[in-house]
């Protein structure tokens, strides 16, 4: 999970639909803007180019009983179905970090090690701890066959992404003056890239090996 810069002006359909008895919060303009703001990534697992996107409510509206949250632009996020279903567990209600208001990288470490994901909270805050639990669960849950397959797919994509990233890091370390490697890393470390939090965290933890990359992971 990385920080998202949300477009300030809400999509027009939200105001119109909010006046209806059972209006839609997932109009074309809403989905399009969320997709753009999120760089076509699930805001939880960071899988890119979603085939099953959903408009997710950060704070649950409980079947529209909290109507003020249904059409609240700041409460809507771009999510994959897999993560949205896991987040629907009641233990996460009102306990997930708003990554448009706070920077997840400041309070969590995203680690991929030996084929597994570990999300470490750097805070005692319950919201941060539950968010770390949610992200890790979205990669590691194995309680049903479908969820196991979905998690394995994300692990596979993450492994592929990190494999390419590590190869590029090695080329850069061996040839630090070669600009094309730094340009490639610039793209890979952008918050808009797939699984950016994992790559950015790795560089932060190994800046001694890659001192020239520090500016690529600050305020981007």
């Amino acid at each position: 999970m990385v920080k998202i810069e949300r477009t300030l002006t809400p999509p027009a359909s939200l105001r119109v639909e909010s006046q209806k008895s059972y209006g839609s919060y997932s109009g074309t303009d809403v989905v399009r803007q969320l997709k753009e703001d999120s760089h076509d990534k699930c805001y939880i697992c960071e899988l890119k180019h979603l085939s099953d996107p959903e408009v997710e409510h950060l704070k649950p509206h409980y079947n529209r009983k909290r109507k003020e949250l249904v059409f609240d632009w700041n409460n809507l996020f771009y999510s994959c179905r897999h993560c949205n279903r896991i987040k629907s567990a009641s233990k996460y209600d009102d306990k997930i970090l708003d990554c448009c208001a706070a920077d997840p990288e400041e309070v969590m470490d995203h680690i991929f090690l030996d084929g597994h994901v570990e999300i470490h909270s750097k805070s005692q805050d319950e919201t941060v701890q539950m968010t770390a639990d949610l992200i890790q669960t979205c990669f590691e849950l194995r309680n049903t066959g479908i969820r196991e397959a979905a998690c394995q797919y994300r692990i596979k994509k993450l492994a592929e992404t990190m494999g390419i990233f590590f190869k590029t890091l090695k080329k850069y370390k061996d040839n630090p003056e070669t600009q094309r490697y730094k340009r490639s890393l610039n793209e890979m470390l952008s918050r808009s890239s797939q699984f950016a939090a994992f790559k950015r965290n790795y560089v932060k933890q190994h800046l001694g090996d890659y001192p020239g990359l520090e500016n690529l992971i600050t305020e981007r």
Side-chain angles (χ1 to χ4, degrees), residues 8 15 23 25-26 33 39 43 54 62 66 107 112 117 138 142 149 153 155 175 177 185-186 207-209 219:
L8 296 179
R15 180 180 59 81
Y25 52 78
S26 56
Q33 194 60 62
H39 306 289
Y43 84 104
E54 296 187 343
Y62 300 118
R66 300 164 79 180
V107 293
F112 181 61
V117 164
C138 287
R142 302 290 190 270
Y153 177 76
I155 290 289
N175 305 276
E177 302 304 320
L185 289 169
N186 184 49
L207 275 179
D209 296 326
E219 300 301 323

Side-chain angles (χ1 to χ4, degrees), residues 1-4 6 43 58-59 73-77 95-104 127-128 131:
M1 182 182 285
V2 292
K3 195 170 191 302
I4 293 173
R6 183 190 297 275
Y43 84 104
L58 183 69
K59 295 182 178 181
W73 174 231
N74 292 315
N75 195 42
L76 303 181
F77 284 79
K95 295 176 183 176
I96 299 302
L97 189 72
D98 181 349
C99 60
C100 291
D103 187 349
T127 296
V128 176
T131 303

Side-chain angles (χ1 to χ4, degrees), residues 104-111 113 117-123 128-129 132-133 136 201:
E105 294 180 77
E106 294 182 354
V107 293
M108 292 183 289
D109 287 329
H110 295 66
I111 300 169
L113 182 65
V117 164
E118 297 178 10
I119 310 298
H120 296 165
S121 171
K122 297 189 285 187
S123 169
V128 176
Q129 293 179 344
D133 178 88
Q136 181 162 329
N201 184 78

Side-chain angles (χ1 to χ4, degrees), residues 120-172:
H120 296 165
S121 171
K122 297 189 285 187
S123 169
Q124 295 301 311
D125 182 82
E126 184 182 23
T127 296
V128 176
Q129 293 179 344
M130 293 304 290
T131 303
D133 178 88
L134 171 63
I135 299 170
Q136 181 162 329
T137 300
C138 287
F139 283 94
E140 297 290 340
L141 188 61
R142 302 290 190 270
N143 64 339
T144 70
I146 292 297
R147 281 181 170 169
E148 180 176 1
C151 286
Q152 287 178 337
Y153 177 76
R154 281 154 182 77
I155 290 289
K156 177 184 176 182
K157 288 297 182 182
L158 176 57
E160 292 173 352
T161 298
M162 295 302 286
I164 295 171
F165 176 61
F166 289 141
K167 287 180 181 178
T168 307
L169 275 179
K170 185 179 186 306
K171 291 177 180 178
Y172 168 76

